[in-house]
Amino acid sequence: MSSVYIVSKLFTYLFLPPGIFALLFVGVAFFVKRFRLFFFANGIILYFLSTPYVADWLLTPLEAPYNTSVEKRAVDAVIVLGGGHTQGVANLPLSSDAYKRMMWGLMVAKSNNLPLLFSGGGNQKEYLESDAFLDSLKEIKSYLDIQPPSSKSLASKEFSLHVEDKSIDTYQNALFSKQAFQAVGISEPTVYLVTSAYHMRRAVMLYEHFGFHVIPAATNFKINHRARDMWDYFPNAHAFYKSFIALHEYAGLLSLKIRGI
């Protein structure tokens, strides 16, 4: 490795967030008399949450059970859960997480000749996540020969696209998905459920709560199973983000337990 590369890496990890804040917390702890333990503890916690080792350790129980091939079963449809979008961009308005979910869902649905239901509305009422899904479809239509949602029924058992545009969270994804199937006479649907691997456990619990038979079809894995190197001991924003989504999922799972789901 060249010296320029090493200096560039050290600057990125130590003088940009979150590394700089971890250093500041620890540094302040050496100069203050009051709240010394508070500053030091915050610096250490921020450091650990910002390293790939801890981030992947937190994610492993969430992702590992779903890092498998999709089980071949007789199912009624594929459900793809939304994962965020960006308004006012030149192309592909779905977030990176949602785009991966969409693409994997399309692959599963088309290869199995099944209807696909995209579930996601969001809080931006002037431009819903379902709108972003449809706009993204238009952009890839010519490459994958995918037609926009048609008048075919969700019960048709052939490839077609459908949207549910009222939900704002995973609970409502499951609730409104169930209503869509009940509207076409399917009371206990068996579905391939497509979402990010870290989100799958909570999504399965909610969909089963509403009477679905769920076959997980996870995508958007966050754990990189490469060999570790020295840079993995340094804090970085991507690892901190992975720790955040893992902790967010554990909080969500706790909320389901409290609610008796």
Side-chain angles (χ1 to χ4, degrees):
M1 289 185 290
S2 69
S3 58
V4 173
Y5 176 82
I6 293 173
V7 170
S8 174
K9 281 286 192 180
L10 289 174
F11 176 83
T12 299
Y13 292 142
L14 299 179
F15 293 99
L16 293 177
I20 185 64
F21 294 117
L23 288 174
L24 285 173
F25 273 123
V26 173
V28 168
F30 285 100
F31 292 97
V32 298
K33 294 183 178 180
R34 300 182 63 185
F35 305 114
R36 177 171 294 175
L37 181 60
F38 169 81
F39 285 108
F40 185 77
N42 274 275
I44 295 301
I45 292 171
L46 181 58
Y47 163 75
F48 280 116
L49 290 177
S50 302
T51 60
Y53 284 102
V54 172
D56 289 352
W57 175 73
L58 289 170
L59 281 170
T60 295
L62 298 170
E63 286 198 356
Y66 305 106
N67 192 11
T68 60
S69 300
V70 178
E71 179 185 352
K72 289 292 184 180
R73 292 267 299 277
V75 303
D76 296 299
V78 176
I79 297 179
V80 177
L81 303 188
H85 65 294
T86 305
Q87 187 173 347
V89 296
N91 55 67
L92 300 177
L94 287 175
S95 70
S96 58
D97 283 13
Y99 190 73
K100 287 182 179 180
R101 297 178 189 184
M102 179 189 78
M103 293 305 298
W104 181 234
L106 289 170
M107 293 176 193
V108 173
K110 194 156 192 183
S111 63
N112 291 279
N113 196 29
L114 292 168
L116 181 152
L117 173 66
F118 180 88
S119 177
N123 293 311
Q124 300 178 28
K125 298 305 180 183
E126 68 278 8
Y127 187 66
L128 299 172
E129 190 168 2
S130 55
D131 297 328
F133 169 74
L134 296 176
D135 286 344
S136 296
L137 274 180
K138 291 175 184 176
E139 293 177 341
I140 64 174
K141 174 183 173 182
S142 60
Y143 296 97
L144 296 182
D145 190 28
I146 292 174
Q147 299 301 316
S150 66
S151 59
K152 292 179 182 179
S153 168
L154 190 58
S156 64
K157 293 293 182 70
E158 60 181 305
F159 181 71
S160 57
L161 300 175
H162 311 264
V163 296
E164 175 283 297
D165 59 5
K166 298 187 293 293
S167 57
I168 60 173
D169 58 19
T170 311
Y171 182 91
Q172 290 191 357
N173 287 147
L175 171 63
F176 294 135
S177 295
K178 184 60 180 292
Q179 292 177 359
F181 280 95
Q182 287 177 327
V184 296
I186 304 176
S187 58
E188 295 185 2
T190 299
V191 299
Y192 285 127
L193 184 62
V194 177
T195 188
S196 301
Y198 63 83
H199 181 240
M200 184 61 78
R201 181 189 295 185
R202 184 158 59 97
V204 168
M205 292 173 67
L206 284 165
Y207 270 79
E208 289 181 342
H209 174 71
F210 281 99
F212 284 87
H213 302 288
V214 176
I215 302 171
T219 188
N220 189 37
F221 295 88
K222 297 298 184 182
I223 299 175
N224 189 336
H225 297 275
R226 61 173 175 77
R228 297 296 186 187
D229 58 35
M230 59 180 262
W231 300 113
D232 291 318
Y233 291 99
F234 288 85
N236 67 78
H238 182 60
F240 185 72
Y241 168 70
K242 293 200 297 183
S243 292
F244 165 78
I245 60 177
L247 294 174
H248 178 268
E249 283 305 309
Y250 288 124
L253 290 167
L254 178 61
S255 74
L256 295 188
K257 187 176 182 64
I258 292 172
R259 293 155 67 184
I261 296 177

